[in-house]
């Protein structure tokens, strides 16, 4: 494998508005083929240039997310052409952020191929603590599901879990990103219970979850890998959803493709199963596609409801410590 400094077609820096601030996505590399990986030239300089440009445009960058790390962290050998220079420049990027008031996220689906390099980098990680976190993508514990959703040659789930366990032991914050969650397949109670029990055993305390956003390209990749029953169930889940044009920030590097989102009632019930399974083992959950929003930000409904004696009674209740009563009242709305 060769790691060569060269530009690639997609932009290396993307700004996405999030709340009152901006998230800067910095893609450090892109595989061109099985033999060559393109790497951003002068990586640390390019990152600092992007931060200063955001300041001039009056954008408050609250988080820098490194993407495109998989070809580097999953490299089989540290002797590959250009690898050492690439990894050193990547660490220089982290060092350049030590005095910047931003959170730093390394987003990857890596295993432990480069564990010696990561171990030697612990002082850099510690210098950024607690602003640095690893975000490890893991849509399923089943390697066949991971290959179906992420493509061929991805790291085995067990290898990713080992990396998460090691980083947690080093007191480096680790969050697992369950993206995408597959309706009727990986979002069922038994699967979720097993998933979260496994995560808590390796020291994971937080996960981020998002349901599958279906595009024609993704459907073409997924459908042939499913058995007939699951294929028909997945088709039925999305049958009532219209095709939509992509909203800004929905996906950073997937391209502008029409998509279908799971219906709100199915997404909401699935989120509740996720929250319940996670709460049983004490894992916090960030829902990235909350119901009522197409961009990951909660929006208020403008629909007016008829007055209800139950809502009036609820307003008069000063103490609301009984959770069962809350559910009872909510159920009468």
């Amino acid at each position: 494998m060769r790691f060569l400094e060269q530009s690639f077609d997609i932009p290396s820096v993307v700004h996405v508005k999030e709340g009152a601030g901006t998230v800067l996505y910095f893609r450090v590399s892109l595989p061109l083929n099985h033999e060559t990986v393109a790497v951003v030239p002068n990586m640390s300089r390019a990152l600092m240039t992007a931060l200063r440009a955001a300041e001039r445009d009056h954008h408050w960058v609250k988080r820098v997310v490194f993407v495109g790390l998989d070809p580097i962290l999953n490299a089989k050998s540290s002797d590959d052409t250009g690898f050492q220079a690439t990894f050193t420049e990547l660490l220089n990027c982290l060092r350049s952020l030590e005095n910047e008031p931003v959170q730093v996220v390394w987003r990857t689906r890596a295993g432990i191929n480069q564990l010696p390099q990561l171990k030697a980098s612990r002082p850099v990680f510690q210098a950024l603590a607690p602003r640095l976190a690893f975000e490890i993508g893991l849509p399923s514990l089943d390697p066949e599901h991971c290959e179906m959703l992420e493509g061929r040659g991805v790291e085995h789930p067990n290898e990713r879990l080992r990396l998460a366990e090691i980083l947690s032991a080093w007191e480096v914050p680790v969050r697992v990103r369950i993206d995408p969650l597959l309706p009727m397949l990986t979002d069922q109670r038994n699967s979720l219970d097993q998933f979260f029990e496994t995560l808590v055993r390796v020291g994971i305390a937080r996960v981020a979850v998002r349901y599958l956003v279906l595009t024609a390209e993704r459907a073409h990749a997924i459908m042939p890998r499913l058995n007939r029953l699951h294929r028909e169930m997945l088709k039925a889940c999305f049958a009532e959803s219209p095709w939509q044009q992509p909203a800004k920030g929905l996906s950073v590097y997937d391209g502008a493709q029409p998509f279908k989102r799971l219906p709100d009632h199915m997404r909401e019930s699935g989120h509740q199963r996720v929250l319940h399974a996670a709460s049983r083992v004490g894992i916090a959950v960030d829902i990235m596609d909350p119901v009522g929003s197409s961009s990951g930000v909660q929006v208020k409904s403008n629909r007016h409801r008829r007055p209800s004696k139950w809502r009036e009674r609820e307003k008069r209740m000063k103490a609301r410590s009984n959770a069962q009563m809350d559910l009872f009242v909510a159920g009468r709305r």
Side-chain angles (χ1 to χ4, degrees):
M1 183 72 71
R2 298 178 301 164
F3 293 84
L4 302 179
E5 287 193 353
Q6 59 186 97
S7 59
F8 31 88
D9 293 337
I10 60 175
S12 59
V13 177
V14 175
H15 295 82
V16 176
K17 189 72 174 177
E18 185 177 283
T22 298
V23 178
L24 189 153
Y25 289 86
F26 185 55
R27 176 173 283 275
V28 299
S29 71
L30 180 71
L32 298 182
N33 50 54
H34 294 296
E35 297 296 328
T36 307
V37 175
V39 178
V40 173
N42 301 311
M43 197 183 300
S44 55
R45 185 191 304 173
L47 175 58
M48 298 311 295
T49 299
L51 283 174
R52 299 291 82 84
E55 290 177 357
R56 288 194 298 272
D57 293 337
H58 305 288
H59 295 308
W60 169 52
V61 177
K62 62 179 182 179
R63 184 160 64 252
V64 175
V65 180
F66 286 82
V67 294
L69 294 172
D70 293 355
I72 301 172
L73 298 184
N74 286 334
K76 300 300 182 184
S77 172
S78 58
D79 295 327
D80 290 341
T81 303
F83 175 86
Q84 292 294 345
T86 298
F87 198 90
T88 298
E89 187 62 16
L90 187 56
L91 293 184
N92 287 339
C93 283
L94 290 186
R95 293 188 182 98
S96 69
L97 294 173
E98 288 182 8
N99 297 318
E100 298 291 332
V102 296
Q103 297 174 334
V104 184
V105 177
W106 272 29
R107 181 176 295 176
T108 182
R109 295 174 294 188
I112 58 171
N113 290 333
Q114 292 304 321
L115 184 58
Q117 299 285 343
L118 291 172
K119 188 174 182 179
S121 307
R122 285 182 64 184
V124 181
F125 300 155
Q126 292 169 349
L128 276 172
R131 293 187 291 117
L132 171 69
F134 272 73
E135 191 173 76
I136 298 178
L138 184 61
S140 172
L141 296 179
D142 187 330
E144 292 186 2
H145 289 165
C146 290
E147 186 173 284
M148 175 180 69
L149 295 167
E150 300 172 333
R152 295 185 181 277
V154 296
E155 287 298 298
H156 195 283
N158 289 345
E159 297 301 301
R160 305 187 213 183
L161 290 171
R162 286 190 64 193
L163 176 61
E165 186 174 23
I166 290 168
L167 291 171
S168 297
W170 293 349
E171 298 184 348
V172 175
V174 182
R175 179 171 78 161
V176 163
R177 186 182 177 95
I178 307 173
D179 182 14
L181 191 66
L182 278 178
M184 311 303 294
L185 189 60
T186 62
D187 70 340
Q188 299 305 291
R189 180 175 177 179
N190 290 340
S191 297
L192 291 171
D193 285 345
Q194 180 187 5
F195 203 157
F196 286 114
E197 287 169 2
T198 301
L199 292 181
V200 80
R201 283 199 297 268
V202 299
I204 300 300
R206 195 172 201 92
V207 301
V209 179
R210 176 164 55 193
Y211 262 108
L212 173 71
V213 176
L214 192 67
T215 64
E217 182 179 341
R218 198 161 225 174
H220 181 74
I222 291 176
M223 293 302 181
R225 304 290 295 272
L226 297 173
N227 61 43
R228 182 177 179 181
L229 175 61
H230 284 137
R231 185 164 58 247
E232 294 305 317
M233 291 169 65
L234 192 63
K235 287 181 180 179
C237 288
F238 286 94
E240 63 184 83
S241 299
W243 288 99
Q244 304 177 48
Q245 292 303 314
K248 182 179 180 181
L250 174 68
S251 178
V252 180
Y253 292 111
D254 286 345
Q257 301 178 44
F259 67 94
K260 281 191 175 190
R261 191 182 290 279
L262 199 66
D264 285 356
H265 67 278
M266 296 187 68
R267 211 158 79 241
E268 186 171 29
S269 61
H271 291 160
Q272 290 303 315
R273 288 195 297 275
V274 169
L275 293 169
H276 178 73
S279 67
R280 289 179 62 249
V281 293
I283 291 180
V285 178
D286 298 317
I287 301 296
M288 296 187 290
D289 57 342
V291 171
S293 169
S294 61
S295 61
V297 179
Q298 287 280 16
V299 294
K300 294 182 179 180
S301 171
N302 294 322
R303 184 177 62 183
H304 296 284
R305 296 179 296 185
R306 292 187 303 171
S308 165
K309 64 179 182 179
W310 292 103
R311 284 196 294 278
E312 292 301 319
R313 178 183 175 186
E314 186 178 16
K315 290 179 181 178
R316 293 195 299 268
M317 294 171 65
K318 295 182 180 179
R320 298 178 57 188
S321 58
N322 190 327
Q324 294 300 324
M325 179 59 74
D326 286 349
L327 292 174
F328 178 75
V329 172
R332 293 294 192 271
R333 294 182 179 179

